[in-house]
Amino acid sequence: MDRSVVGHFTSPADTNLIISKGTQVELYKLSAEGLVAVTSVPIYGTIISMEIFRPINEIQDALVLLTNKLDCMVLFWNPASGAIETRAAGNVRERVGRLSDDAFLTAIDPGSRALALHLYDGFVKIAPLGGRGELREAFSQRIEEMNIVDMRFLYGCERPTLAILYADSRENRDTRHLKTYELALGERRHELKRGPLSASNIDAGSNMIIPVPFGGCIVLGERIITYFSMAPARNRERRQFHGMADDTSGAGSSTPDMSLPVSIAVHPAVFRAWGRIDSTRYLLGDHAGRLSMLTLCVDQGRHHVSDMCVDFLGVTSIASTISYLDNAHAYIGSHLGDSQLVQIVEAPQTPDGTKLLVRDTFLNVGPIMDFVVVDFDQRGQGQVVTCSGGYKDGAVHVVRNGIGISEISSSKLSGVQGLWSLPACGPSIKTEEEKEEEDKFLVLSFVGGTQVLEMNNNRLDVSAVEIGRASCRE
């Protein structure tokens, strides 16, 4: 499990979960029964980054992938063929430069105007995006920051504005700073200029930027979470010259200074993933598998963040990616353990205050740290015993050849004496091949009667049908 995104990929009305696993892209559709697999596509190369965006002139989302071979591609869903197709592709490798020792980073402007890539130390590569999602001629821009930790485009900016979180040096990586750059896209010349927001010496260990839809960004630190506003700063020097204290509470002014950052202290943690619920609520996953919800207290009149709070929800697998789906359901993708589909509930489910229900679990055998082949039954058929996962999600798995059985539907019944299946017969099915194609009914025999269950959209429902001359009902 590497990345996951949620969007309207197959159609504007569909909610899709897209997962990248090594060299595969898996596409799911959210339905009343849960996540339904749509397709799986192999990619030539290991996927190291995945972003989803809505092109300016399109009605459904597109997907941007970057592989370890530095191949970049834009993928679309073709409703006519019912398959994923490539709209644009190219290699973004430079002839000169030192590849970054840290993870390669990508970011897409919320207005779908540009794609930014950090691949080489001291450089950011910008690829303007066309109206249909095509990649236009890219250019590289030298920047001062050498050790970039994370970067994101911000919302609500007239020009594409890129926020960069970086460390001082490789010897002093605990000191973190925040800086923004504005992208001026011209017809013949593009330029990257210094942006309006910058902050020095923020919380040590800060490693993630969360762009906020109404402006500004959140920086996740190990002990402090801080919101930085894009509102213009007041002239503090003039106020101090007249003997006025520069307080953060707004005393001495009719309105609070919206340019000042808002911070809260949190339980020490290294955040690994985040997912947006809406503009004021965010899911946070840390190194210990704790899932929390960050809530922004916003003055709706001025879109000013006055406070923040973090609520503990429960413990899941150690999250590598978090994607909020809908109706209080979220997908927790894990590289070190099994991925999970969880539901957030209001009432605590356990004495420790857990507000999560695990609705589905997706088995993950990797990463395999060690394995051995054992013939338990002494029949010549070896089985692989693996040491998989890591930290609290470590497990021993036994892998063997066989037939896998997956549950489609279930119903709790007692006292069943016998059961058999029946095909659907009637005007809707005319040929013998169509009769044998699908058994629609399941007949259950009890001591006191007979019951018929009908399969409808992968669900077993009690049905009223005629068997011979007798009518069978619940």
Side-chain angles (χ1 to χ4, degrees):
M1 168 56 57
D2 296 316
R3 301 285 189 277
S4 69
V5 293
V6 174
H8 306 286
F9 189 72
T10 54
S11 79
D14 294 340
T15 299
N16 300 111
L17 173 67
I18 307 172
I19 303 172
S20 67
K21 295 182 178 180
T23 61
Q24 293 281 330
V25 173
E26 297 181 357
L27 176 61
Y28 295 85
K29 179 181 175 181
L30 185 62
S31 65
E33 289 75 29
L35 291 174
V36 179
V38 177
T39 187
S40 178
V41 178
I43 303 295
Y44 183 65
T46 302
I47 302 169
I48 59 177
S49 182
M50 179 172 65
E51 304 282 349
I52 194 166
F53 71 105
R54 175 72 58 88
I56 298 175
N57 298 331
E58 294 289 340
I59 60 174
Q60 60 194 61
D61 295 334
L63 201 64
V64 174
L65 301 181
L66 179 68
T67 70
N68 61 333
K69 301 178 182 293
L70 299 188
D71 291 324
C72 186
M73 62 204 75
V74 179
L75 305 181
F76 276 80
W77 177 263
N78 188 339
S81 61
I84 296 177
E85 297 182 357
T86 303
R87 177 159 296 180
N91 191 276
V92 293
R93 185 180 296 274
E94 299 284 355
R95 294 184 178 180
V96 296
R98 182 177 182 273
L99 286 172
S100 175
D101 293 332
D102 301 320
F104 297 152
L105 302 175
T106 60
I108 285 191
D109 171 47
S112 302
R113 294 168 289 184
L115 166 69
L117 305 100
H118 172 62
L119 310 174
Y120 295 85
D121 288 337
F123 287 91
V124 171
K125 196 178 190 71
I126 304 295
L129 296 173
R132 300 185 66 245
E134 63 272 16
L135 296 172
R136 294 177 178 173
E137 185 177 357
F139 67 96
S140 294
Q141 178 74 41
R142 180 179 290 276
I143 57 176
E144 299 175 355
E145 298 74 33
M146 298 294 292
N147 306 308
I148 298 179
V149 179
D150 193 16
M151 67 178 190
R152 296 282 177 177
F153 277 102
L154 302 183
Y155 287 87
C157 300
E158 183 178 353
R159 294 178 175 178
T161 301
L162 184 66
I164 293 178
L165 180 66
Y166 65 98
D168 267 348
S169 63
R170 298 191 185 279
E171 293 76 20
N172 188 23
R173 292 188 64 88
D174 289 337
T175 304
R176 303 295 168 89
H177 312 281
L178 181 68
K179 184 182 289 187
T180 56
Y181 287 94
E182 284 187 347
L183 178 59
L185 296 175
E187 294 182 359
R188 296 185 178 181
R189 182 183 177 184
H190 309 308
E191 189 177 2
L192 202 62
K193 300 180 180 180
R194 183 72 175 269
L197 176 62
S198 64
S200 300
N201 299 319
I202 57 180
D203 182 41
S206 298
N207 63 344
M208 286 187 174
I209 299 175
I210 302 177
V212 178
F214 52 79
C217 64
I218 301 168
V219 176
L220 301 180
E222 292 183 357
R223 296 178 180 271
I224 297 176
I225 297 177
T226 306
Y227 168 78
F228 293 94
S229 174
M230 292 290 289
R234 293 179 178 176
N235 192 339
R236 300 187 182 92
E237 294 181 0
R238 182 176 63 83
R239 291 193 295 162
Q240 292 176 354
F241 178 78
H242 290 287
M244 298 177 64
D246 188 18
D247 58 12
T248 60
S249 62
S253 176
S254 59
T255 58
D257 189 349
M258 294 187 293
S259 66
L260 297 178
V262 179
S263 301
I264 58 169
V266 295
H267 184 277
V270 179
F271 292 104
R272 298 288 183 87
W274 63 272
R276 179 182 291 111
I277 299 177
D278 52 36
S279 61
T280 61
R281 295 182 300 167
Y282 301 85
L283 296 175
L284 308 179
D286 65 14
H287 68 289
R290 292 189 294 264
L291 186 68
S292 304
M293 181 186 295
L294 171 65
T295 304
L296 306 182
C297 301
V298 181
D299 182 351
Q300 297 296 335
R302 296 188 301 270
H303 293 298
H304 165 58
V305 176
S306 58
D307 198 3
M308 296 184 291
C309 64
V310 176
D311 298 319
F312 173 75
L313 297 179
V315 177
T316 65
S317 299
I318 299 176
S320 302
T321 178
I322 300 176
S323 295
Y324 181 78
L325 301 173
D326 195 8
N327 195 24
H329 285 73
Y331 175 79
I332 310 297
S334 178
H335 176 71
L336 298 173
D338 296 339
S339 299
Q340 297 172 324
L341 179 65
V342 300
Q343 181 183 3
I344 304 170
V345 296
E346 295 183 0
Q349 303 297 306
T350 59
D352 62 352
T354 297
K355 297 181 180 180
L356 295 177
L357 294 176
V358 179
R359 293 303 185 186
D360 202 355
T361 300
F362 305 88
L363 180 64
N364 178 22
V365 181
I368 299 176
M369 309 306 295
D370 195 9
F371 72 93
V372 64
V373 179
V374 181
D375 186 4
F376 290 105
D377 301 329
Q378 301 298 320
R379 297 180 179 179
Q381 183 179 6
Q383 302 177 23
V384 180
V385 181
T386 69
C387 294
S388 304
Y391 303 100
K392 77 175 190 66
D393 294 328
V396 175
H397 293 277
V398 179
V399 184
R400 60 183 179 182
N401 290 330
I403 299 175
I405 300 176
S406 59
E407 180 181 297
I408 297 177
S409 180
S410 63
S411 180
K412 293 184 179 180
L413 299 170
S414 60
V416 179
Q417 301 297 312
L419 61 89
W420 62 93
S421 61
L422 288 177
C425 298
S428 60
I429 297 182
K430 300 179 181 180
T431 65
E432 292 296 330
E433 293 181 357
E434 290 175 335
K435 288 182 181 180
E436 298 176 356
E437 191 178 52
E438 179 181 4
D439 289 332
K440 191 175 182 180
F441 299 103
L442 186 65
V443 182
L444 307 177
S445 176
F446 299 88
V447 174
T450 303
Q451 189 179 66
V452 178
L453 300 180
E454 182 181 1
M455 180 67 75
N456 288 319
N457 297 325
N458 292 333
R459 294 184 57 184
L460 282 173
D461 298 323
V462 177
S463 177
V465 297
E466 290 189 358
I467 302 178
R469 297 181 179 179
S471 177
C472 299
R473 296 182 181 272
E474 182 180 2

